[in-house]
Amino acid sequence: MNTASAPPEATQPPSELASGNQPAGKGRVLAWAAWDWGSAAFNAVMTTFVFTVYLTSNAFGGEDQASAVLGGALAIAGLAIALLAPVTGQRSDNGGRRKLWLGVNTVAVAVLTGLCFFVFPRPEFLLLGVALIALGNVFFEFAGVNYNAMLAQVSTPTNIGKVSGFGWGMGYLGGIVALLVVLQLFVQPSFDWFGSSTEDSLNIRLVAVFSALWFFIFALPVLFAVPELPRPARARPLGFLASYGLLLRRIKAIYATSPHTIYFLLASAVFRDGLAAVFTFGGIIAAGTFGFELSQVIFFAIFGNVVAAVGAIAGGYLDDRVGPKAVIMGSLVGLLLAGTMILVLGNGDYVFFGTAWAGSTTFWVFGLFLCLFVGPAQSSSRAYLARLAPTGETGELFGLYATTGRAVSFLAPALFTLCITLATPLVAPGEAQRWGILGIMVVLLAGLLVLLPVKPPNKTSIALVPAS
């Protein structure tokens, strides 16, 4: 008999965060945050500052064309995540296999990253490169569903903002170290070795192998230190398609009893897509619009990660004091101001109050401000939702978090691509890419406006949810 078709009885569990056991020790928090540290190899090195910059270089057919192809591939990846993420989270919750699936998906990301070694610097390899990056993003999001759900296992209601911010900060600091290693061994090697060869871009392709190993090694501590999720006593096996029926019933129940949880999921879907685009296309814009060499992109990334780590950690402390909504809104305003300045000033040279201001200065100053505000918005979004997750439903709720985000994840890449496409016949060659920033800013502004009426979590009840 298919139990999914039976009308479930709604119950009102406490939040997983509030019903947890004793606060986790520092060792467990460090082990959990190590995954964020390791994930920087995929986020900072592969997706933002090194490998996507390589993919959008002239070797693959030109910056504008390759940027558009990459944006399209990421949009397709977002659709796949939107369709699958909540069910993967639900099934890991029901089966008590949160840690298992974190490990499986992490290994998948590491393997796909390592395969980027075979992306040679020729136009015919562009599709392979963007496909590997796009698939890596899919499995990275699946891993992130389970990793984010573990936040409730390693924090308490009084320190969740600080723990979440610490995790994001560790990610940015891990990005600094990873980028320094990449710079010293591969991009501007300190000594001669076979990995420093630029023939067929061997040095950049070896960055993919390094990134795969980095992520895998630093993902191991959480798999040993944080216990597996207990299997719910009443959990019953569900077929894959039946899981969608249960998911729909739970969404209806959440909307009926805690509507602002749904409102926040929708609002965060929009602004998180803009946040992701800032990092995804940041290095590409630095190279294509502002003329940064790869080594300059990496230097900027190092400083940017320092600033982002400070912002994430400081935002975590503010989160526990003023609440996550205030932190998110302040961060979005800061992002809009900084992005507007980059768009307006571009790569032009100016004189302000008798002082010369170069285009590179524009990107350094306002690009670092972008880095400062992205971390707190991401960290507080995670902490906001963890405060509202019913016991035993955290993975599914973070699956919805990924789904709602990815349901509109085509927005920023699509608008980035559209703005480039519309600008191409109107501006000089190589100038169109800058107008992609406009698409990202539209998404961030829309997210801010949708977030305005959403209640903070301390004024929102935990949802009634139907049992499986």
Side-chain angles (χ1 to χ4, degrees):
M1 178 178 178
N2 187 347
T3 59
S5 62
E9 179 183 358
T11 59
Q12 186 173 21
S15 71
E16 182 169 321
L17 178 67
S19 63
N21 297 319
Q22 295 297 317
K26 292 182 179 179
R28 186 174 291 180
V29 172
L30 284 171
W32 175 80
W35 191 93
D36 254 324
W37 174 286
S39 71
F42 185 76
N43 284 329
V45 178
M46 295 297 293
T47 305
T48 306
F49 293 112
V50 179
F51 204 79
T52 51
V53 174
Y54 167 64
L55 280 178
T56 54
S57 65
N58 288 329
F60 291 92
E63 297 158 358
D64 293 345
Q65 176 191 351
S67 296
V69 173
L70 177 63
L74 292 176
I76 294 171
L79 177 61
I81 293 164
L83 293 174
L84 298 172
V87 167
T88 61
Q90 176 200 107
R91 293 173 74 82
S92 66
D93 282 344
N94 288 347
R97 294 175 293 189
R98 183 179 291 170
K99 185 168 68 172
L100 170 65
W101 286 110
L102 172 62
V104 169
N105 289 307
T106 297
V107 169
V109 176
V111 170
L112 290 164
T113 300
L115 288 174
C116 288
F117 173 79
F118 299 102
V119 179
F120 291 87
R122 292 188 282 277
E124 59 266 30
F125 285 91
L126 175 62
L127 289 179
L128 173 63
V130 298
L132 289 172
I133 291 295
L135 280 172
N137 270 274
V138 171
F139 286 102
F140 186 83
E141 285 285 354
F142 291 169
V145 166
N146 292 288
Y147 174 74
N148 288 334
M150 284 184 173
L151 175 59
Q153 296 174 247
V154 297
S155 62
T156 68
T158 58
N159 71 359
I160 183 173
K162 182 170 66 174
V163 171
S164 182
F166 176 71
W168 279 106
M170 284 283 283
Y172 292 127
L173 292 174
I176 296 169
V177 178
L179 287 166
L180 282 172
V181 173
V182 166
L183 184 66
Q184 294 299 314
L185 289 184
F186 304 103
V187 178
Q188 289 183 342
S190 301
F191 54 90
D192 289 332
W193 69 297
F194 80 92
S196 64
S197 172
T198 58
E199 184 177 356
D200 265 343
S201 298
L202 175 64
N203 57 332
I204 303 303
R205 292 187 293 117
L206 282 174
V207 167
V209 178
F210 162 80
S211 299
L213 293 172
W214 179 278
F215 189 17
F216 177 75
I217 291 169
F218 285 105
L220 291 176
V222 69
L223 301 178
F224 290 101
V226 179
E228 182 59 278
L229 180 72
R231 182 180 175 87
R234 294 192 300 165
R236 299 179 182 178
L238 279 179
F240 187 79
L241 294 179
S243 296
Y244 283 95
L246 177 60
L247 174 66
L248 290 175
R249 293 197 299 276
R250 284 179 170 169
I251 292 173
K252 291 178 181 178
I254 293 171
Y255 181 74
T257 58
S258 183
H260 282 266
T261 300
I262 299 296
Y263 300 156
F264 174 75
L265 287 170
L266 297 176
S268 71
V270 180
F271 70 71
R272 285 186 295 118
D273 188 41
L275 297 177
V278 169
F279 274 110
T280 300
F281 297 109
I284 295 169
I285 291 170
T289 298
F290 291 88
F292 281 31
E293 299 292 336
L294 180 57
S295 59
Q296 292 175 301
V297 172
I298 294 175
F299 276 121
F300 174 83
I302 291 168
F303 283 98
N305 274 271
V306 172
V307 172
V310 171
I313 294 171
Y317 279 91
L318 283 174
D319 183 300
D320 289 328
R321 286 159 177 77
V322 303
K325 181 182 176 181
V327 173
I328 296 168
M329 291 185 62
S331 298
L332 292 177
V333 170
L335 285 163
L336 287 168
L337 293 175
T340 299
M341 295 305 296
I342 293 175
L343 176 62
V344 171
L345 296 178
N347 197 27
D349 295 327
Y350 305 91
V351 176
F352 295 120
F353 304 104
T355 302
W357 181 284
S360 59
T361 305
T362 296
F363 192 80
W364 271 100
V365 172
F366 294 107
L368 290 178
F369 271 108
L370 287 174
C371 295
L372 179 67
F373 291 116
V374 166
Q378 292 173 320
S379 173
S380 288
S381 295
R382 177 167 67 184
Y384 184 112
L385 195 61
R387 287 177 167 95
L388 296 178
T391 299
E393 310 292 331
T394 309
E396 183 176 67
L397 198 58
F398 273 107
L400 287 172
Y401 184 65
T403 287
T404 51
R406 291 302 179 169
V408 297
S409 66
F410 64 89
L411 278 178
L415 288 176
F416 179 82
T417 302
L418 177 63
C419 288
I420 292 174
T421 302
L422 293 176
T424 296
L426 304 176
V427 299
E431 291 291 323
Q433 189 190 66
R434 172 164 67 103
W435 289 95
I437 300 171
L438 180 61
I440 299 172
M441 304 307 294
V442 169
V443 175
L444 290 172
L445 177 60
L448 175 62
L449 295 177
V450 177
L451 180 64
L452 284 174
V454 179
K455 292 181 180 179
N458 61 346
K459 296 183 180 179
T460 302
S461 60
I462 304 299
L464 291 164
V465 293
S468 58

PDB file of all heavy atoms in Angstrom, residues 324-338:
ATOM      1  N   PRO A 324      18.579  38.246  11.685  1.00  0.00           N
ATOM      2  CA  PRO A 324      19.094  38.021  10.328  1.00  0.00           C
ATOM      3  C   PRO A 324      18.486  38.927   9.267  1.00  0.00           C
ATOM      4  O   PRO A 324      19.162  39.292   8.313  1.00  0.00           O
ATOM      5  CB  PRO A 324      18.744  36.555  10.062  1.00  0.00           C
ATOM      6  CG  PRO A 324      17.604  36.252  10.977  1.00  0.00           C
ATOM      7  CD  PRO A 324      17.850  37.081  12.206  1.00  0.00           C
ATOM      8  N   LYS A 325      17.211  39.314   9.422  1.00  0.00           N
ATOM      9  CA  LYS A 325      16.604  40.133   8.380  1.00  0.00           C
ATOM     10  C   LYS A 325      17.303  41.477   8.257  1.00  0.00           C
ATOM     11  O   LYS A 325      17.570  41.962   7.143  1.00  0.00           O
ATOM     12  CB  LYS A 325      15.114  40.336   8.652  1.00  0.00           C
ATOM     13  CG  LYS A 325      14.433  41.166   7.564  1.00  0.00           C
ATOM     14  CD  LYS A 325      12.969  41.420   7.831  1.00  0.00           C
ATOM     15  CE  LYS A 325      12.389  42.336   6.771  1.00  0.00           C
ATOM     16  NZ  LYS A 325      10.954  42.649   6.991  1.00  0.00           N
ATOM     17  N   ALA A 326      17.614  42.110   9.382  1.00  0.00           N
ATOM     18  CA  ALA A 326      18.293  43.409   9.345  1.00  0.00           C
ATOM     19  C   ALA A 326      19.662  43.287   8.682  1.00  0.00           C
ATOM     20  O   ALA A 326      20.071  44.162   7.910  1.00  0.00           O
ATOM     21  CB  ALA A 326      18.432  43.964  10.760  1.00  0.00           C
ATOM     22  N   VAL A 327      20.377  42.197   8.980  1.00  0.00           N
ATOM     23  CA  VAL A 327      21.698  41.993   8.376  1.00  0.00           C
ATOM     24  C   VAL A 327      21.570  41.811   6.865  1.00  0.00           C
ATOM     25  O   VAL A 327      22.342  42.390   6.089  1.00  0.00           O
ATOM     26  CB  VAL A 327      22.393  40.775   9.014  1.00  0.00           C
ATOM     27  CG1 VAL A 327      23.691  40.448   8.280  1.00  0.00           C
ATOM     28  CG2 VAL A 327      22.693  41.047  10.486  1.00  0.00           C
ATOM     29  N   ILE A 328      20.584  41.024   6.442  1.00  0.00           N
ATOM     30  CA  ILE A 328      20.412  40.770   5.005  1.00  0.00           C
ATOM     31  C   ILE A 328      20.064  42.061   4.268  1.00  0.00           C
ATOM     32  O   ILE A 328      20.649  42.373   3.221  1.00  0.00           O
ATOM     33  CB  ILE A 328      19.322  39.715   4.773  1.00  0.00           C
ATOM     34  CG1 ILE A 328      19.731  38.369   5.368  1.00  0.00           C
ATOM     35  CG2 ILE A 328      19.039  39.553   3.279  1.00  0.00           C
ATOM     36  CD1 ILE A 328      18.600  37.358   5.441  1.00  0.00           C
ATOM     37  N   MET A 329      19.130  42.830   4.800  1.00  0.00           N
ATOM     38  CA  MET A 329      18.702  44.049   4.114  1.00  0.00           C
ATOM     39  C   MET A 329      19.838  45.064   4.025  1.00  0.00           C
ATOM     40  O   MET A 329      20.057  45.687   2.974  1.00  0.00           O
ATOM     41  CB  MET A 329      17.493  44.648   4.830  1.00  0.00           C
ATOM     42  CG  MET A 329      16.230  43.817   4.684  1.00  0.00           C
ATOM     43  SD  MET A 329      14.768  44.602   5.407  1.00  0.00           S
ATOM     44  CE  MET A 329      14.649  46.081   4.415  1.00  0.00           C
ATOM     45  N   GLY A 330      20.582  45.237   5.108  1.00  0.00           N
ATOM     46  CA  GLY A 330      21.718  46.157   5.071  1.00  0.00           C
ATOM     47  C   GLY A 330      22.753  45.727   4.047  1.00  0.00           C
ATOM     48  O   GLY A 330      23.336  46.559   3.335  1.00  0.00           O
ATOM     49  N   SER A 331      22.977  44.417   3.950  1.00  0.00           N
ATOM     50  CA  SER A 331      23.957  43.900   2.995  1.00  0.00           C
ATOM     51  C   SER A 331      23.501  44.137   1.554  1.00  0.00           C
ATOM     52  O   SER A 331      24.308  44.494   0.688  1.00  0.00           O
ATOM     53  CB  SER A 331      24.179  42.404   3.238  1.00  0.00           C
ATOM     54  OG  SER A 331      24.709  42.173   4.529  1.00  0.00           O
ATOM     55  N   LEU A 332      22.219  43.926   1.281  1.00  0.00           N
ATOM     56  CA  LEU A 332      21.718  44.118  -0.075  1.00  0.00           C
ATOM     57  C   LEU A 332      21.829  45.578  -0.508  1.00  0.00           C
ATOM     58  O   LEU A 332      22.176  45.871  -1.657  1.00  0.00           O
ATOM     59  CB  LEU A 332      20.269  43.643  -0.179  1.00  0.00           C
ATOM     60  CG  LEU A 332      20.047  42.137  -0.049  1.00  0.00           C
ATOM     61  CD1 LEU A 332      18.554  41.809  -0.090  1.00  0.00           C
ATOM     62  CD2 LEU A 332      20.776  41.383  -1.157  1.00  0.00           C
ATOM     63  N   VAL A 333      21.548  46.492   0.401  1.00  0.00           N
ATOM     64  CA  VAL A 333      21.701  47.918   0.075  1.00  0.00           C
ATOM     65  C   VAL A 333      23.157  48.228  -0.252  1.00  0.00           C
ATOM     66  O   VAL A 333      23.463  48.938  -1.228  1.00  0.00           O
ATOM     67  CB  VAL A 333      21.195  48.789   1.236  1.00  0.00           C
ATOM     68  CG1 VAL A 333      21.561  50.258   1.016  1.00  0.00           C
ATOM     69  CG2 VAL A 333      19.687  48.654   1.403  1.00  0.00           C
ATOM     70  N   GLY A 334      24.081  47.713   0.558  1.00  0.00           N
ATOM     71  CA  GLY A 334      25.496  47.929   0.287  1.00  0.00           C
ATOM     72  C   GLY A 334      25.921  47.363  -1.060  1.00  0.00           C
ATOM     73  O   GLY A 334      26.693  47.989  -1.798  1.00  0.00           O
ATOM     74  N   LEU A 335      25.409  46.179  -1.410  1.00  0.00           N
ATOM     75  CA  LEU A 335      25.729  45.566  -2.700  1.00  0.00           C
ATOM     76  C   LEU A 335      25.212  46.415  -3.862  1.00  0.00           C
ATOM     77  O   LEU A 335      25.909  46.593  -4.875  1.00  0.00           O
ATOM     78  CB  LEU A 335      25.116  44.168  -2.778  1.00  0.00           C
ATOM     79  CG  LEU A 335      25.829  43.080  -1.974  1.00  0.00           C
ATOM     80  CD1 LEU A 335      24.913  41.875  -1.788  1.00  0.00           C
ATOM     81  CD2 LEU A 335      27.108  42.647  -2.670  1.00  0.00           C
ATOM     82  N   LEU A 336      24.012  46.941  -3.726  1.00  0.00           N
ATOM     83  CA  LEU A 336      23.444  47.756  -4.793  1.00  0.00           C
ATOM     84  C   LEU A 336      24.254  49.026  -5.015  1.00  0.00           C
ATOM     85  O   LEU A 336      24.509  49.429  -6.157  1.00  0.00           O
ATOM     86  CB  LEU A 336      21.990  48.096  -4.473  1.00  0.00           C
ATOM     87  CG  LEU A 336      20.994  46.945  -4.620  1.00  0.00           C
ATOM     88  CD1 LEU A 336      19.654  47.299  -3.993  1.00  0.00           C
ATOM     89  CD2 LEU A 336      20.807  46.595  -6.100  1.00  0.00           C
ATOM     90  N   LEU A 337      24.686  49.656  -3.940  1.00  0.00           N
ATOM     91  CA  LEU A 337      25.476  50.884  -4.067  1.00  0.00           C
ATOM     92  C   LEU A 337      26.825  50.602  -4.730  1.00  0.00           C
ATOM     93  O   LEU A 337      27.251  51.325  -5.642  1.00  0.00           O
ATOM     94  CB  LEU A 337      25.681  51.520  -2.695  1.00  0.00           C
ATOM     95  CG  LEU A 337      24.422  52.080  -2.021  1.00  0.00           C
ATOM     96  CD1 LEU A 337      24.741  52.567  -0.604  1.00  0.00           C
ATOM     97  CD2 LEU A 337      23.840  53.223  -2.849  1.00  0.00           C
ATOM     98  N   ALA A 338      27.502  49.539  -4.278  1.00  0.00           N
ATOM     99  CA  ALA A 338      28.820  49.217  -4.828  1.00  0.00           C
ATOM    100  C   ALA A 338      28.711  48.796  -6.296  1.00  0.00           C
ATOM    101  O   ALA A 338      29.511  49.227  -7.139  1.00  0.00           O
ATOM    102  CB  ALA A 338      29.475  48.111  -4.004  1.00  0.00           C
TER     103      ALA A 338
END
